[in-house]
Amino acid sequence: MDKTESKFAQKLDWSVYILFFIVVLGLPLLTDDVFWLNRISKYLVYGMLGLAIALSWGYAGILNLGQGLFFGLGAYMFAMSLKLKSYTSLQQGSAEPVPDFMVWNAEPGTPTELCCIVPGSWLWIPFQSQTFGMFMSILLPVFIAFIVASAIFRLRVSGVYVAIITLALVLLVRLLIIDAQPLTNGFNGLTDLGWLTLKGFEFDPYMVATYYLVAISCCIVMLLTRWLVSTRAGLILQSTRDDPNRSRYLGYDVASYQIFFFVVSAAIAGFSGMLYVIAAEFASPTFLDITFSISMVVWAAVGGRSSLIGAVIGALLINSIEAAVSESEIFKEAWKLIIGVIFILVVLLLPRGIAGVARDFAGWLESKSLKAKNSED
Amino acid sequence: MNYAITIDGLTVNFGGFKAVDDFTTTVIDGELRVILGPNGAGKTTLMDLISGKTTASSGSVQLFGKAITGESEHKIARYGIGRKFQIPSIFRDLSVIQNLEVAASKEPSVFKNLKFSISSNETDKIKQVIELTELGPFLKKTAGDLSHGQMQWLELGMLITQGAKVLLLDEPTAGMTRQETEKTAEIINQLKGNHTILVVEHDMAFVRDIAEKITVMHLGKLLAEGPIDKIEKNEAVREAYLGSGGIH
Amino acid sequence: MSNIFFIGLSLSSILLLIALGLSITYGAMGVINMAHGELVMIGAYTAVLSGIYLNLNLFFALPLAFLVSAAVGLLMERIIIRRLYGRIIDTLLATWGVAILLQQLIRLEFGLTFFGINIKGLGPGLQKMEVPLFLSENFDVLGVTVQPYRSFIILLTIGLALLTWYIMYRTSIGTQVRAIMRNPQMAAACGIDVKKVSAWTFAYGSGLAGVAGVLLAGFKAVVPTMGSSVVVDGFLVVVVGGVGSLLGTLLSAVVLGQINGFFAILTNDIVARAIVFGVVILIILLRPNGLFGFKSR
């Protein structure tokens, strides 16, 4: 069957994107419910995570079972900045802000100074600059992704072992974050955060402006990623997924492509971590739970792992339904069961997810209309 | 005399087993050399060594005078060597034209490939290759859906698009019908002269069709080298490989 | 010092039991079974339920749990895994789905919660299994405090490991399994019924998981999520030890258990686990086939 880009399919692709943008950006016009909008912005963040997985898995053939690592790191980095801006941090009676949990964890008698209240607290000092926090949100995940990817791909580790390493990695870092209680507040995570402030404007999470911040970021990331995969580099990346040896023999340093796109995927995850903190006002070790990381894979699989917008829609769909059923405890658990079954069915029967079904349907429509045209002649 | 490939004392030792043993030969630019030998003679390992998949234990390989021993596969590919595998190795999930586009890019790095357009040189090259391989009607088809013979031609086409000056072909007619084999011979004969070609083959009729000079390998060593008639008459070759019937 | 060793050993033995089952299914079928932890959980719940409704104690629960988990494993293999032959990553994902499914079935008490029926021993809450009295009290031998339950675990694990070794290396069915591990097509060509043997192998590995579950139930809370934490540990042990190598799994379980135990005393439990993860990552990077593995399938 002809899989690729007929003119019709391309037009369809663009119209889905445009429709999506219109709906997402137009939502605030339909409702005043800022709580609802806040929820949707969280789902848009999940959508970006699904997109990051699709980029890595669908296009590069790299299954990252620990994407939560980069999401979590991005979230924590920015949450640190917002924590230092919070009212309580400024009330500790010291010149610079000091997070409340550090005070609780400090040895009696230690001066309440950010540099030395608990071991390592000086690491927090640069986060007094919100801009620093923003940069670190993306830089730290990128840095770690680069190191990890270089190790993995230069050593030509492949397939399932890559997935296992990413899994072990997110678990490892989760433990480290929990253990460093005086620095990270352990299990409790970073709560009681200040608000993002840009040019004097404060972004209250329950504000339409904040929704637009997240929504527009999401749309831009979608467009940029879409552009990225349609370049030659994107095509070559897919070739490394299909047959890395052949790609190598055509003169491409396969590892460098894998590293590049793994890092881009991590950057997207880190950025979405920052956005999440802005909308949800906390960062927690639960971001690094394996169930969360694997959920991202489920969203991408159901939506369509090789379709960026499919993965986004998959994430939105699943999370919306989950929210809708969470009113009742029983329905919530039943939904989890249903999602488990759906996931199994998708893996068994629908490897290209909803997007695949949509594309097949579009292809069928196209061939029918062609037939109709031909029979008219 | 411009030597495309110079191999000197090439040896690879796999824990005591010498898959290629002190192999020396030279291949002239534009020549077509057939490599014959029974299974296990070391033919594929020789190709692995030249193309960089395996590292030699000793000896050297030079490409147009440039030492390439021990370099990585993708660098050697950029120096001008293209390798065709026994089992057609193409990008099955991409379309035919996409396969050729991937092969066409002259820039290896990610950053230089962050663009859309194909240069006009590349388009011309691709057009030529499409004509040569007669894959015109199948450009949008998923490569995995092609017939076996078409996949082999696509792979050959990709090597040419890649701009390889030296082609290493590992059993290019494996699994082909009579007609497909004839067509492949046609393509290869058209490539002679503009490209240096090393062919590993078993199919004797095909060899007869394309061969100029033959190198016979046995147990990793070079057993004999020369034009077809000389090889046929060579006692050692007959014993090891051909049997007394000759090439037919 | 011997106390540390002992604790490490009992940690290792649980890990080993779980990894043993995984090693067999991964080695024999190339299947990464993310639901293995849930098979452990099912074993634990079998012990709980049989204690409540059938008044069976630990010793009867063990073979029962083996059978129940083996049966569930067989079902999984027949319905799902068989269709994903050779697609390792898809199997990983599909079995993750099964894991969620199994967890939810227990939480929702097989759907009965919908009707307002609550079965004692099921549901989202904690359950526990009674350990027979004679095993729960420590006693002294030559000045060393012996924890009988942990000793029982170690002994049982050794026994099962030996049994597994015996089956794999001294019986004809074991030879068949090992043949399939090395080269399934060749094994089929030699007349081995690959489908059947693979299915039974998977069942056996799952049964071992059930036994591990019963043992765990003796000192850990029995909850629907108890499986998820052990499956990852189990996998890491198997991957480090090497695909298809029982010896590798054994050594890997011992080594990783010891590292865990050692660092747990040195720093704390959390950091110890983190270090183990770090060690595992290094080993996979440098020797992806594990310490004793061979490339197969």
Side-chain angles (χ1 to χ4, degrees):
Chain A
M1 193 206 81
D2 278 1
K3 173 192 83 111
T4 47
E5 311 303 314
S6 62
K7 280 279 182 288
F8 180 68
Q10 270 178 341
K11 278 205 212 127
L12 192 68
D13 207 31
W14 278 118
S15 35
V16 176
Y17 269 83
I18 293 177
L19 193 63
F20 182 83
F21 292 156
I22 293 178
V23 170
V24 164
L25 296 173
L27 233 41
L29 303 173
L30 296 174
T31 176
D32 273 335
D33 188 351
V34 277
F35 292 95
W36 189 73
L37 284 177
N38 180 276
R39 271 230 302 254
I40 302 290
S41 42
K42 289 182 193 156
Y43 300 159
L44 288 173
V45 170
Y46 293 151
M48 287 168 69
L49 286 171
L51 181 131
I53 295 277
L55 177 66
S56 180
W57 186 25
Y59 283 87
I62 303 167
L63 178 58
N64 186 348
L65 288 180
Q67 187 75 295
L69 169 63
F70 304 119
F71 174 72
L73 286 176
Y76 267 86
M77 290 292 106
F78 195 58
M80 281 163 81
S81 277
L82 290 187
K83 180 73 180 170
L84 290 176
K85 285 182 2 139
S86 80
Y87 185 69
T88 45
S89 298
L90 295 163
Q91 292 302 320
Q92 299 300 340
S94 64
E96 336 116 302
V98 176
D100 45 6
F101 64 87
M102 285 192 188
V103 178
W104 305 332
N105 279 293
E107 295 291 335
T110 340
T112 313
E113 300 290 328
L114 190 57
C115 69
C116 6
I117 182 168
V118 286
S121 58
W122 49 270
L123 286 168
W124 279 69
I125 294 181
F127 287 90
Q128 289 173 77
S129 150
Q130 186 186 263
T131 322
F132 183 78
M134 286 172 79
F135 272 117
M136 285 305 279
S137 251
I138 302 189
L139 280 177
L140 185 64
V142 161
F143 179 65
I144 297 201
F146 182 73
I147 295 182
V148 170
S150 299
I152 295 179
F153 300 121
R154 293 264 168 234
L155 289 171
R156 298 216 189 155
V157 178
S158 66
V160 75
Y161 294 112
V162 177
I164 294 180
I165 290 180
T166 55
L167 193 62
L169 202 59
V170 68
L171 289 171
L172 190 163
V173 176
R174 178 180 166 275
L175 288 172
L176 292 179
I177 290 182
I178 290 177
D179 187 61
Q181 172 125 337
L183 271 188
T184 61
N185 205 12
F187 273 111
N188 306 306
L190 300 178
T191 55
D192 184 34
L193 308 178
W195 291 342
L196 167 71
T197 314
L198 288 179
K199 295 223 189 291
F201 181 78
E202 285 192 324
F203 282 87
D204 175 347
Y206 296 96
M207 204 186 214
V208 177
T210 312
Y211 172 79
Y212 271 120
L213 181 69
V214 176
I216 293 177
S217 305
C218 179
C219 295
I220 293 180
V221 166
M222 285 171 73
L223 282 173
L224 283 177
T225 315
R226 187 76 182 76
W227 166 79
L228 192 62
V229 297
S230 28
T231 59
R232 297 291 283 286
L235 192 60
I236 296 170
L237 178 72
Q238 293 181 70
S239 77
T240 66
R241 169 202 70 200
D242 268 4
D243 193 337
N245 261 323
R246 170 39 76 202
S247 211
R248 230 168 253 136
Y249 283 109
L250 284 176
Y252 297 111
D253 182 9
V254 169
S256 64
Y257 279 80
Q258 293 170 321
I259 295 172
F260 180 79
F261 282 90
F262 187 82
V263 166
V264 169
S265 178
I268 297 175
F271 180 57
S272 49
M274 175 172 97
L275 291 175
Y276 192 80
V277 167
I278 295 174
E281 298 186 280
F282 77 97
S284 135
T286 55
F287 294 177
L288 292 102
D289 280 348
I290 28 164
T291 19
F292 186 46
S293 283
I294 299 192
S295 302
M296 298 178 205
V297 176
V298 175
W299 305 332
V302 170
R305 75 181 85 152
S306 303
S307 161
L308 298 175
I309 191 165
V312 174
I313 293 179
L316 285 171
L317 204 63
I318 294 179
N319 281 286
S320 306
I321 300 181
E322 223 162 77
V325 297
S326 69
E327 310 295 308
S328 135
E329 188 64 32
I330 294 186
F331 280 122
K332 194 166 90 174
E333 299 297 336
W335 168 248
K336 279 200 208 148
L337 186 129
I338 293 174
I339 248 297
V341 174
I342 290 180
F343 188 46
I344 298 174
L345 290 175
V346 164
V347 172
L348 278 177
L349 304 169
L350 282 181
R352 285 158 56 222
I354 296 180
V357 173
R359 284 206 183 114
D360 288 349
F361 183 64
W364 176 79
L365 274 180
E366 189 183 4
S367 65
K368 276 212 101 182
S369 76
L370 272 176
K371 273 203 203 115
K373 256 205 225 151
N374 287 338
S375 62
E376 277 168 23
D377 295 336
Chain B
M1 195 75 91
N2 196 5
Y3 290 120
I5 297 186
T6 311
I7 302 179
D8 189 19
L10 198 59
T11 307
V12 71
N13 199 329
F14 292 130
F17 167 61
K18 288 196 180 150
V20 171
D21 194 355
D22 199 23
F23 189 90
T24 301
T25 190
T26 52
V27 183
I28 302 171
D29 187 14
E31 184 189 333
L32 186 149
R33 178 77 63 90
V34 174
I35 311 223
L36 279 186
N39 281 327
K43 312 186 293 296
T44 303
T45 315
L46 181 66
M47 298 228 156
D48 285 347
L49 288 166
I50 298 174
S51 61
K53 183 163 184 214
T54 311
T55 322
S57 315
S58 61
S60 69
V61 182
Q62 285 182 11
L63 181 68
F64 293 110
K66 182 189 171 76
I68 59 172
T69 346
E71 296 262 26
S72 57
E73 297 106 315
H74 71 273
K75 286 224 178 83
I76 293 183
R78 290 285 166 190
Y79 293 147
I81 291 191
R83 185 169 175 183
K84 195 191 154 322
F85 294 88
Q86 209 171 323
I87 304 174
S89 174
I90 51 175
F91 303 121
R92 283 163 194 266
D93 280 337
L94 301 180
S95 69
V96 170
I97 187 74
Q98 283 176 326
N99 269 268
L100 291 171
E101 280 171 13
V102 172
S105 177
K106 291 282 169 280
E107 297 288 350
S109 87
V110 181
F111 294 102
K112 293 234 173 70
N113 277 302
L114 288 175
K115 55 181 166 76
F116 290 108
S117 49
I118 310 185
S119 74
S120 53
N121 286 354
E122 292 168 342
T123 326
D124 287 338
K125 194 87 196 241
I126 295 181
K127 280 215 184 90
Q128 282 174 19
V129 165
I130 295 175
E131 261 185 59
L132 182 66
T133 55
E134 289 172 19
L135 285 170
F138 307 103
L139 288 183
K140 296 267 180 165
K141 202 170 173 136
T142 312
D145 291 339
L146 291 175
S147 78
H148 183 80
Q150 286 170 325
M151 284 190 201
Q152 303 267 36
W153 299 327
L154 174 59
E155 203 182 352
L156 258 179
M158 283 162 73
L159 293 188
I160 302 166
T161 316
Q162 175 192 348
K165 290 289 297 161
V166 175
L167 304 176
L168 305 177
L169 309 181
D170 201 340
E171 300 195 33
T173 60
M176 281 193 180
T177 65
R178 200 89 225 50
Q179 286 144 317
E180 288 173 337
T181 308
E182 272 166 20
K183 164 113 183 263
T184 310
E186 241 178 74
I187 297 181
I188 293 185
N189 279 326
Q190 278 195 44
L191 297 174
K192 255 196 250 194
N194 285 328
H195 300 81
T196 309
I197 310 181
L198 259 69
V199 182
V200 166
E201 249 308 341
H202 279 314
D203 184 336
M204 295 308 177
F206 178 68
V207 168
R208 207 151 242 281
D209 252 348
I210 59 168
E212 298 165 347
K213 189 167 164 195
I214 299 184
T215 299
V216 182
M217 283 183 79
H218 186 54
L219 299 176
K221 292 197 192 345
L222 188 146
L223 187 60
E225 207 167 69
I228 282 202
D229 38 348
K230 245 188 75 192
I231 293 291
E232 275 192 299
K233 298 195 183 86
N234 183 310
E235 273 308 314
V237 172
R238 287 184 153 199
E239 230 182 272
Y241 189 41
L242 290 176
S244 38
I247 302 181
H248 49 242
Chain C
M1 200 56 215
S2 65
N3 225 4
I4 298 174
F5 181 67
F6 194 75
I7 291 178
L9 202 60
S10 69
L11 284 172
S12 296
S13 54
I14 302 253
L15 205 54
L16 177 66
L17 205 50
I18 293 171
L20 207 56
L22 264 177
S23 168
I24 291 171
T25 53
Y26 187 27
M29 304 180 63
V31 171
I32 293 205
N33 182 10
M34 292 296 269
H36 194 82
E38 274 58 41
L39 291 168
V40 171
M41 187 247 316
I42 285 180
Y45 272 93
T46 309
V48 167
L49 290 173
S50 62
I52 297 176
Y53 296 100
L54 300 172
N55 249 323
L56 294 177
N57 72 8
L58 173 69
F59 296 100
F60 289 102
L62 286 168
L64 187 62
F66 181 90
L67 291 172
V68 172
S69 288
V72 174
L74 203 58
L75 215 68
M76 265 176 69
E77 200 272 340
R78 280 270 150 81
I79 300 181
I80 296 172
I81 295 178
R82 192 166 279 201
R83 293 169 211 266
L84 293 172
Y85 189 85
R87 288 153 60 183
I88 302 187
I89 293 197
D90 285 342
T91 330
L92 187 157
L93 296 174
T95 50
W96 179 261
V98 173
I100 298 178
L101 190 72
L102 291 173
Q103 270 190 42
Q104 294 309 104
L105 280 176
I106 297 284
R107 264 219 192 90
L108 293 169
E109 305 175 45
F110 295 97
L112 294 175
T113 322
F114 274 115
F115 304 102
I117 306 176
N118 279 311
I119 297 188
K120 184 172 168 208
L122 285 181
L126 269 94
Q127 311 293 340
K128 61 180 173 60
M129 179 192 76
E130 295 299 336
V131 176
L133 210 55
F134 73 93
L135 277 184
S136 37
E137 286 176 352
N138 297 353
F139 55 87
D140 270 331
V141 168
L142 303 175
V144 177
T145 321
V146 178
Q147 294 178 317
Y149 189 59
R150 291 201 180 245
S151 314
F152 174 66
I153 290 178
I154 294 174
L155 288 173
L156 187 62
T157 305
I158 293 178
L160 283 172
L162 285 173
L163 175 68
T164 309
W165 174 84
Y166 184 80
I167 295 177
M168 289 289 272
Y169 288 90
R170 288 277 183 275
T171 64
S172 71
I173 188 124
T175 317
Q176 290 184 26
V177 173
R178 283 184 294 131
I180 297 177
M181 276 192 202
R182 292 273 179 173
N183 190 333
Q185 281 107 340
M186 204 53 211
C190 289
I192 296 178
D193 188 346
V194 174
K195 280 210 177 112
K196 205 167 88 166
V197 174
S198 293
W200 286 112
T201 312
F202 195 80
Y204 180 76
S206 307
L208 287 181
V211 172
V214 175
L215 295 175
L216 269 179
F219 66 94
K220 269 203 174 170
V222 177
V223 272
T225 51
M226 67 188 290
S228 351
S229 49
V230 292
V231 71
V232 174
D233 290 340
F235 259 114
L236 300 182
V237 166
V238 170
V239 171
V240 164
V243 179
S245 166
L246 283 186
L247 184 64
T249 305
L250 175 77
L251 288 177
S252 167
V254 169
V255 167
L256 292 180
Q258 287 302 318
I259 294 180
N260 193 339
F262 177 73
F263 281 103
I265 306 285
L266 206 63
T267 54
N268 63 45
D269 212 27
I270 294 180
V271 173
R273 289 198 75 211
I275 292 179
V276 171
F277 284 133
V279 168
V280 168
I281 291 176
L282 277 174
I283 294 183
I284 299 181
L285 278 175
L286 300 172
R287 280 198 69 125
N289 284 323
L291 300 171
F292 290 91
F294 47 81
K295 274 185 182 207
S296 62
R297 296 235 164 190

